[in-house]
């Protein structure tokens, strides 16, 4: 190709470059204008992070000196007769902004690995003007650096339910952690969940989100016992009751009847699961409209389990009821996992006098919103919370932390603080109204399933008196 030909292509190449740069600039400007205020600040922050990375990495000790010259440097040195200068290698990064800050994905180098990044986290936070910075592994030879400019824990968020069935019925999305990362827990093979916290800390709101997210699925059926009210039209669940196949208030006889009903369902499922589903554990095939995940929510759980001490006839009868309630719920928690029964127990304090320890200690997931005493935090999260005072729910008593919970996450050291989003009453009413037609009694679902398969269930054994 001669010089004239190359010169002829130059204007075309230059025009192509100009067009591509113009398109890139246009896309960037549109993204910037459409972004919310926090994301715009993060986009400007991301530019500063990229431009200042080489200098910052050297100052933070995140570079390595390579004394072995490259092949090109060796050839040049042989021609000039000079000794090649050592190279300073800087990790390559990719920066992504979001509402709360930046996510930086970086490469590791020899002698600059995960530990070195973690040691420099505080310095990076100051340089990037972030509230906090975390460094986690992101695969072999990679790390992800999360810098948050504003604290997600004190930033109130609102969740608007979509009304669409969840893609994964085993995934419970709780909210975001202190680094604005999504936090979810698996419900597969989970028999029980405990939720603790002082009044007004956000317990019921967190459970409302659970109901609204799972209500659009016919493979989930919910029953509730609310110890704060006397009837369904009162209290926090008035807007949700249309999506519940059973509800009772603080009446101990009604609660006892509900718990017995669910224990009988558990026994029927245990007796038929192999013949109907072909497995011993429902979670091997997952919930379905014919065999739905059955969730029992027990709010103000201490109402149903408290010990009554007196010799008069009325008190003795109440004491017998609460003792039987504890035994029935224990049956559900200890034996209901494999047949698809989940119990969520909510109480201000999950101490042994509020929720019996033989129930509480079987529940693998425990959340605690704000607490006033260390003893209440230990009851909710375990004795190890004493070793993590910065994450203790005792530190969440400020009004800015309403809706923030603490839990131990599998695979993470220590405890995680989570900002749970608020669901408005109007959205909750809308979702339950639109999905009320999906409400079904799990007992009737099991009857229909047995008829369709041509099988009959053996009668459940009588409850022990």
């Amino acid at each position: 190709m001669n010089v004239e030909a190359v010169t002829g292509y130059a204007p075309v190449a230059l025009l192509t470059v100009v067009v591509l740069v113009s398109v890139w600039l246009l896309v960037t400007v549109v993204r910037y204008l459409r972004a919310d205020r926090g994301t715009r600040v993060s986009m400007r922050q991301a530019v500063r992070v990229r431009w200042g990375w080489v200098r910052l990495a050297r100052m933070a000790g995140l570079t390595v000196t390579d004394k072995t010259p490259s092949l090109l440097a060796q050839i040049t040195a042989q021609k000039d007769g000079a000794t090649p200068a050592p190279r300073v290698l800087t990790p390559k990064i990719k920066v992504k902004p979001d509402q709360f800050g930046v996510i930086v994905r970086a490469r590791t180098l020899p002698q600059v690995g995960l530990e070195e990044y973690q040691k420099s986290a505080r310095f990076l936070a100051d340089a990037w003007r972030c509230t906090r910075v975390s460094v986690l592994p992101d695969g072999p030879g990679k790390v992800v650096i999360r810098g948050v400019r504003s604290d997600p824990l004190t930033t109130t968020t609102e969740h608007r339910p979509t009304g669409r069935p969840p893609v994964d019925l085993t995934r419970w999305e709780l909210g975001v952690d202190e680094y604005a990362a999504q936090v979810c827990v698996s419900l597969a093979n989970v028999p029980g969940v405990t939720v603790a916290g002082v009044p007004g800390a956000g317990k019921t709101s967190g459970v409302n989100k659970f109901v609204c997210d799972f209500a659009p699925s016919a493979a989930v059926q919910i029953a509730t016992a609310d110890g704060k009210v006397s009837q369904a039209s009162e209290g926090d669940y008035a807007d949700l009751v249309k999506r519940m196949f059973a509800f009772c208030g603080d009446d101990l006889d009604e609660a006892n009847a509900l718990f017995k009903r669910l224990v009988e369902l558990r026994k029927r499922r245990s007796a038929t699961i192999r013949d109907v589903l072909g497995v011993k554990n429902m979670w091997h095939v997952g919930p379905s409209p014919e065999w739905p995940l059955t969730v029992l929510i027990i709010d103000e759980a201490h109402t149903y389990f408290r010990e009554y001490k007196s010799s008069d006839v009325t008190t003795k009868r109440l004491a017998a009821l609460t003792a039987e309630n504890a035994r029935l719920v224990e049956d559900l928690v200890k034996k209901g996992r494999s047949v698809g029964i989940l119990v969520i127990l909510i109480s201000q304090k999950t101490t042994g006098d509020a929720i019996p320890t033989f129930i509480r200690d079987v529940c693998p997931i425990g959340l605690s919103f704000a607490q006033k005493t260390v003893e209440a935090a230990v009851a909710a999260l375990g004795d190890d919370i004493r070793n993590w005072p910065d994450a203790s729910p005792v530190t969440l008593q400020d009004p800015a932390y309403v809706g923030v919970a603490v839990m131990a996450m599998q695979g993470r050291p220590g405890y995680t603080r989570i900002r749970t989003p608020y669901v408005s009453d109007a959205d909750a009413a809308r979702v339950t109204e639109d999905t009320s037609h999906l409400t079904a009694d799990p007992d009737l679902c099991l009857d229909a399933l047995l008829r369709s398969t041509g099988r009959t269930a053996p009668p459940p054994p009588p409850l022990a008196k």
Side-chain angles (χ1 to χ4, degrees):
M1 183 178 294
N2 54 34
V3 178
E4 291 79 5
V6 173
T7 305
Y9 281 114
V12 177
L14 180 60
L15 179 61
T16 303
V17 171
V18 170
V19 170
L20 292 176
V21 171
S22 300
V23 171
W24 175 79
L25 287 174
L26 178 62
V27 171
T28 302
V29 170
V30 171
R31 286 179 55 199
Y32 182 83
L33 294 176
R34 295 183 62 183
D36 57 72
R37 182 178 180 183
T39 304
R40 290 181 184 179
V41 177
S42 298
M43 292 173 74
R44 297 194 296 269
Q45 181 185 21
V47 173
R48 294 195 301 269
V49 170
R50 293 189 193 98
W51 286 358
W53 172 246
V54 174
R55 181 183 180 189
L56 179 60
R58 292 180 180 180
M59 296 171 62
L62 297 177
T63 59
V64 62
T65 301
D66 185 2
K67 296 182 179 180
T68 302
S70 64
L71 179 60
L72 180 61
Q74 292 180 31
I75 295 174
T76 305
Q78 289 177 356
K79 291 181 179 180
D80 299 340
T83 302
R87 295 178 297 160
V88 178
L89 303 181
T90 304
K92 295 181 179 180
I93 65 169
K94 293 182 179 180
V95 187
K96 180 181 179 181
D98 64 13
Q99 180 184 0
F100 296 99
V102 292
I103 301 173
V104 180
R105 300 186 185 277
R107 293 279 185 176
T108 60
L109 294 173
Q111 300 182 2
V112 181
L114 176 64
E115 185 176 350
E116 284 69 33
Y117 279 103
Q118 290 175 336
K119 289 180 179 178
S120 301
R122 182 175 298 180
F123 179 78
L124 296 176
D126 292 337
W128 293 344
R129 301 175 187 175
C130 289
T131 302
R132 61 177 71 94
V133 164
S134 73
V135 182
L136 296 173
D138 192 36
K142 300 177 182 179
V143 297
V144 57
I145 308 171
R146 175 51 162 160
V148 289
R149 185 187 60 264
S150 57
D151 191 350
L153 297 181
T154 58
T155 303
T156 303
T157 57
E158 187 168 342
H159 173 68
R160 185 173 175 81
T162 63
R164 295 190 297 270
V167 177
D168 185 357
L169 290 176
T170 68
R171 181 184 175 93
W172 180 10
E173 296 182 353
L174 293 172
V176 297
D177 66 10
E178 54 195 307
Y179 298 101
Q182 286 291 331
V183 176
C184 66
V185 296
S186 174
L187 295 178
N189 288 298
V190 172
V193 177
T194 60
V195 183
V198 297
K203 303 186 300 295
T204 304
S205 178
V207 176
N208 283 353
K209 179 182 181 298
F210 171 89
V211 175
C212 290
D213 285 347
F214 286 89
S217 174
V220 178
Q221 299 298 336
I222 301 168
T224 298
D226 186 0
K228 301 191 299 294
V229 300
S230 298
Q231 53 190 356
S233 60
E234 304 170 354
D236 299 311
Y237 299 97
D239 294 323
L240 306 177
V241 73
K242 290 183 179 180
R243 188 55 183 88
M244 298 175 181
F245 71 89
F247 182 94
C248 71
D250 56 3
D251 187 283
L252 293 183
D253 290 296
E254 292 183 6
N256 186 260
L258 174 60
F259 299 155
K260 285 181 178 179
R261 175 180 172 184
L262 290 172
V263 168
E264 291 178 0
L265 171 66
R266 196 278 305 164
K267 291 180 177 180
R268 292 186 68 205
R269 283 187 169 186
S270 296
T272 58
I273 185 170
R274 273 190 160 185
D275 290 336
V276 175
L277 299 184
V279 293
K280 295 186 293 183
N281 188 333
M282 182 277 293
W283 291 106
H284 292 165
V285 295
S288 65
E290 295 76 23
W291 193 293
L293 169 63
T294 303
V295 182
L296 170 61
I297 299 172
I298 308 178
D299 205 341
E300 298 294 336
H302 52 274
T303 302
Y304 308 105
F305 304 136
R306 63 171 292 191
E307 295 183 7
Y308 289 87
K309 296 179 180 179
S310 185
S311 58
D312 62 277
V313 176
T314 301
T315 304
K316 285 184 176 180
R317 190 182 77 84
L318 293 176
L321 273 177
T322 56
E324 186 178 24
N325 287 342
R327 181 181 62 79
L328 293 170
V329 174
E330 178 189 15
D331 180 283
L332 294 174
V333 173
K334 289 186 175 180
K335 301 177 183 179
R337 172 185 60 83
S338 62
V339 296
I341 295 178
L342 169 67
V343 181
I344 300 177
L345 300 120
I346 309 169
S347 185
Q348 296 177 22
K349 296 192 299 182
T350 53
T351 50
D353 58 335
I355 300 178
T357 55
F358 53 80
I359 296 175
R360 183 195 69 192
D361 295 345
V362 182
C363 299
I365 299 177
L367 289 91
S368 179
F369 291 81
Q371 295 284 5
K372 287 189 175 181
T373 65
V374 175
E375 290 70 24
V378 169
L381 300 170
D383 195 65
D384 190 44
I385 190 62
R386 297 181 189 271
N387 300 321
W388 302 85
D390 291 342
S392 174
V394 177
T395 64
L396 301 178
Q397 297 183 55
D398 190 284
Y401 292 111
V402 171
V404 177
V406 180
M407 71 175 298
M409 291 290 295
Q410 188 174 9
R412 290 191 190 183
Y415 293 82
T416 301
R417 294 182 293 175
I418 307 162
R419 159 61 67 180
T420 61
Y422 170 75
V423 179
S424 69
D425 293 340
D427 282 335
R430 170 181 57 82
V431 170
T432 52
E433 177 70 31
D434 293 344
T435 61
S436 59
H437 64 283
L438 300 176
T439 305
D441 187 332
D443 264 314
L444 300 179
C445 294
L446 181 58
D447 290 339
L449 183 59
L450 292 173
R451 286 195 301 270
S452 67
T453 57
R455 295 179 173 86
T456 57
L463 293 169
K465 296 183 179 179

